[in-house]
Amino acid sequence: MEKYSLAYLLFFCGVALLYCNGLIVYTNVEVAFKDPFRIISVFLLVVSSLLNFKNIRIAVPVVFIALLSVVSVVIHGLTTLNFLIIVLFVVSASAFERQMVLRTIAYITVLSLVLYTMLYLLGFIQWGFTFFEGRLRNTLGFYNENAAASFFSAILILPYAFGSRKLLWMAISSLSCFVIYRLTDSRSTLVVTLVLLAACFIFYMLGRRDKIKESIIVSSLLLYIVLAVTFLVPYLDSEALDYFLSYRLSSFRQGIDALFETMSVMWFGLPFEVDSSYIVLLASYGILFFLLIVYCIQKSIVFYSRNRRWMELAFICAMLVYGVVESNLFRPEAILTLVFWYYVFNPGGCDYSRTAMSSVNLRKVFAANEMRLLKEQLRGKGC
């Protein structure tokens, strides 16, 4: 029990350090802390996993993804450390009960918002404004507006962390994201919020009518549409669309062309930065890694559809859309990123916990056992 509690404490500290690292670095409070904080976080997650090794539940494809992540770090250096950190988080989190993991992330989100407020009041974080092509945008103290929106969008996890009053939490988090959108003019934040709300409604209605097959088709179709849009739309000769997407299509096209110049680049990657999670993942880790990622997403879609887990399915769909024009699915400092990959790589979750934090579940187990023993005694007496 003590070893389990220590593993949880290290897991909590590792995740908290990641998220606070994003706050401190991306607001330029102290950029030099980025790599040291990441290394410490990796160490904490590894030790947590070792202490809780018997409870870890990870699918075989995730093991290969972890190995390919290590190979990429060896070849390309710390620039590709991102996804290895994400995999370490999922491995460490798989040993704990799902609700415990989600509540841990929610508590860390709230603590980080409190830390942001304190740094702002103390003058370490100062709001700034940018004006470009008719758009007045507030950076909220971050190095750009999208980084600020990504940080505050973590509040979308609150409805998932607290089982009761989900609709209330969803309303609060959605309204908060709309406020963030108005301040930062980050259209991707508005899109992910609207897609999440729409997907929750659609999959909830499909689930109530037992339309499992339709749910799988809709979410799978979205996955492959997202991939098609990412790799095919940049080759459309549309200056208007390129302008609307802040000239992302031009950078996407250049990146895709570079990826398929040689076979070695296609298999082992050529890390570079563009505002697309899928292009960045393919560029950093190669085609085999990318295909395994798509396979895991498809498997998770089927799992959540068959088990009528409509909120998790809606979250995955919203993040898939988000990843088209943002590289956040590649960044471990983003809370939504960690939750997305946790849902994808560990769909079954851990249904038990040996700590007092799941005492409600344990009481249910004990009550069921007592009821079973009572029935056996009654049968023995001929009742």
Side-chain angles (χ1 to χ4, degrees), residues 276-317:
S276 172
S277 297
Y278 309 109
I279 297 176
V280 169
L281 287 172
L282 180 60
S284 299
Y285 303 101
I287 188 68
L288 181 58
F289 175 94
F290 188 78
L291 292 176
L292 284 171
I293 289 291
V294 174
Y295 171 79
C296 289
I297 295 173
Q298 179 65 64
K299 291 287 288 185
S300 67
I301 284 172
V302 173
F303 176 86
Y304 291 121
S305 297
R306 287 178 175 172
N307 289 274
R308 296 177 176 82
R309 304 278 286 273
W310 53 274
M311 284 193 68
E312 288 90 343
L313 187 59
F315 183 85
I316 288 175
C317 290

Side-chain angles (χ1 to χ4, degrees), residues 61 65 203 212-227 278 289-307 313 316-317 320 340-341 343-347:
I65 288 171
F203 292 127
I212 296 175
K213 184 177 179 180
E214 288 78 0
S215 179
I216 295 174
I217 292 173
V218 169
S219 46
S220 299
L221 188 62
L222 178 64
L223 167 62
Y224 297 110
I225 288 175
V226 159
L227 295 178
Y278 309 109
F289 175 94
F290 188 78
L291 292 176
L292 284 171
I293 289 291
V294 174
Y295 171 79
C296 289
I297 295 173
Q298 179 65 64
K299 291 287 288 185
S300 67
I301 284 172
V302 173
F303 176 86
Y304 291 121
S305 297
R306 287 178 175 172
N307 289 274
L313 187 59
I316 288 175
C317 290
L320 287 175
F340 172 77
W341 293 115
Y343 280 152
V344 168
F345 291 150
N346 190 36

Side-chain angles (χ1 to χ4, degrees), residues 100-125:
M100 183 191 300
V101 174
L102 294 176
R103 290 198 174 187
T104 297
I105 292 174
Y107 295 146
I108 290 171
T109 300
V110 173
L111 289 174
S112 298
L113 293 175
V114 171
L115 177 60
Y116 172 88
T117 304
M118 292 174 59
L119 291 173
Y120 175 77
L121 293 176
L122 291 173
F124 291 102
I125 295 177

